[in-house]
Amino acid sequence: MNDYSVIDLLKKHVEQNPQHIIYRFLTYIPERDDWDIQEITFRSLYQRALGIAHMLQEKKIRRGDRVVIFSMQDDTTVYSILGCILAGVTFTVIPPPIDEGKAERFISVVKSCRPKALISNFSMEQAAGSSQSLAKRLAKEALFTALRMKRIYADQIGPYFYDDVIRRIGPEDLVYLQYTSGSTSAPKGVRITRRNLEKQLEQCDHAGDFQHGRLGTWVPFFHNLGLVVTIL
C-alpha cells in the first residue's frame, strides 16, 4: 500500500466515481413499521469530511492533537473519523456515556488521552438527555481536562469544497487510539500509527473482496472491526 493510502484512495474514488454509493444507513422507524434509508456517495462523504477537517482547524485543533468522537452509529460519525484523518488529528472513538458504565469509561479515556475536543451529534445528544449530567460529572472528576475540551457537533457542520485543510502525517505518526472496553480494568489505549492502519487494510484486502461486493454490518464503530472493516 502506498503512502497516505487512506487519503489518496478516497480522493481517487471521488475523482473517478463521485456518485457511487459507498454507505447505506438503515434506521428502523417503529411508528411506521418501516425503514429509513440514507445513502452516502463518495462526493458527499469527502465534502462532509472536509467540513469536519475545516472545523477542527477553526477550533485550533492541529495535526497531532487528540480528539474524542462519540460513536453514534450514524453518518456524522463516519464524517468525523475521516475528517480527523484528513486533518492529521489523532482520534479515539468511544460509545456515548448513556449509562453508568459508559460514563466511567468515558471519564477514564478523557483522563488518559487528554483530548482537546469532543465530537458528537447535537440532535442525538439532546435526545439522549445525557449532556447536562455528563458535564457535571466531568466538572467534578476530570475538571482540568474538561475545561480545555472544545465541543464540535458534526450534524451542524456542512460540506467544505477545498482540500487546503488536508494535513498528511508520516508512517510512524498516530492515526487513532483504540481503547479496551474497561470491563475488567481501566480502559487501556493502543496506539495505531499510519503504518499499522495500512497493514490492517492490507489484511482486509486479503480476507475478502471489498472492492466489488456489499458488506452488511451492525458492529459498533468504536470496535476496531467496526472502524477498520466497516468505515475505512
Side-chain angles (χ1 to χ4, degrees):
M1 212 172 258
N2 58 13
D3 282 352
Y4 312 122
S5 57
V6 173
I7 293 176
D8 289 341
L9 184 60
L10 177 58
K11 293 179 70 173
K12 176 183 176 181
H13 284 306
V14 173
E15 293 169 358
Q16 295 183 351
N17 204 358
Q19 297 305 320
H20 177 75
I21 296 171
I22 181 62
Y23 301 115
R24 284 189 178 93
F25 286 90
L26 304 180
T27 303
Y28 179 66
I29 309 300
E31 295 81 6
R32 303 201 315 261
D33 189 26
D34 199 1
W35 296 85
D36 273 354
I37 301 176
Q38 182 181 15
E39 297 182 334
I40 311 298
T41 66
F42 275 120
R43 176 180 288 164
S44 61
L45 171 67
Y46 184 55
Q47 291 175 349
R48 291 292 299 274
L50 286 173
I52 298 294
H54 180 254
M55 179 56 68
L56 287 166
Q57 295 184 12
E58 289 289 302
K59 294 282 188 179
K60 309 300 181 185
I61 310 298
R62 306 303 186 192
R63 179 173 56 188
D65 288 342
R66 298 177 179 181
V67 303
V68 166
I69 301 172
F70 279 165
S71 177
M72 296 294 190
Q73 296 301 112
D74 69 337
D75 59 318
T76 65
T77 306
V78 178
Y79 305 145
S80 300
I81 290 168
L82 290 173
C84 287
I85 292 176
L86 292 175
V89 171
T90 301
F91 63 89
T92 297
V93 184
I94 62 173
I98 57 176
D99 56 41
E100 186 69 20
K102 291 183 175 62
E104 292 287 350
R105 180 182 183 184
F106 173 65
I107 291 169
S108 179
V109 168
V110 166
K111 290 179 178 179
S112 170
C113 72
R114 305 183 69 81
K116 290 193 173 181
L118 171 64
I119 305 178
S120 62
N121 181 308
F122 182 80
S123 299
M124 290 187 179
E125 187 176 288
Q126 293 300 109
S130 62
S131 179
Q132 186 174 1
S133 59
L134 173 60
K136 290 180 180 178
R137 291 201 61 188
L138 279 174
K140 180 180 179 181
E141 301 188 40
L143 175 62
F144 296 108
T145 300
L147 289 176
R148 291 195 300 266
M149 287 176 64
K150 300 172 182 178
R151 300 303 305 272
I152 297 174
Y153 294 108
D155 56 328
Q156 297 181 345
I157 299 173
Y160 187 74
F161 304 102
Y162 308 99
D163 61 5
D164 60 326
V165 295
I166 294 177
R167 301 290 182 268
R168 298 180 182 272
I169 63 173
E172 302 306 323
D173 290 329
L174 286 181
V175 177
Y176 67 97
L177 294 168
Q178 180 68 48
Y179 276 86
T180 59
S181 66
S183 57
T184 57
S185 63
K188 297 176 177 62
V190 179
R191 297 162 59 92
I192 307 298
T193 65
R194 199 195 81 202
R195 191 188 304 277
N196 296 148
L197 175 59
E198 290 173 357
K199 288 298 182 182
Q200 291 185 79
L201 295 176
E202 285 182 3
Q203 291 175 342
C204 289
D205 286 341
H206 290 309
D209 182 7
F210 290 96
Q211 301 298 320
H212 304 95
R214 294 183 179 181
L215 174 67
T217 179
W218 58 89
V219 180
F221 295 155
F222 57 82
H223 192 289
N224 201 57
L225 284 175
L227 173 61
V228 176
V229 178
T230 305
I231 296 180
L232 301 177

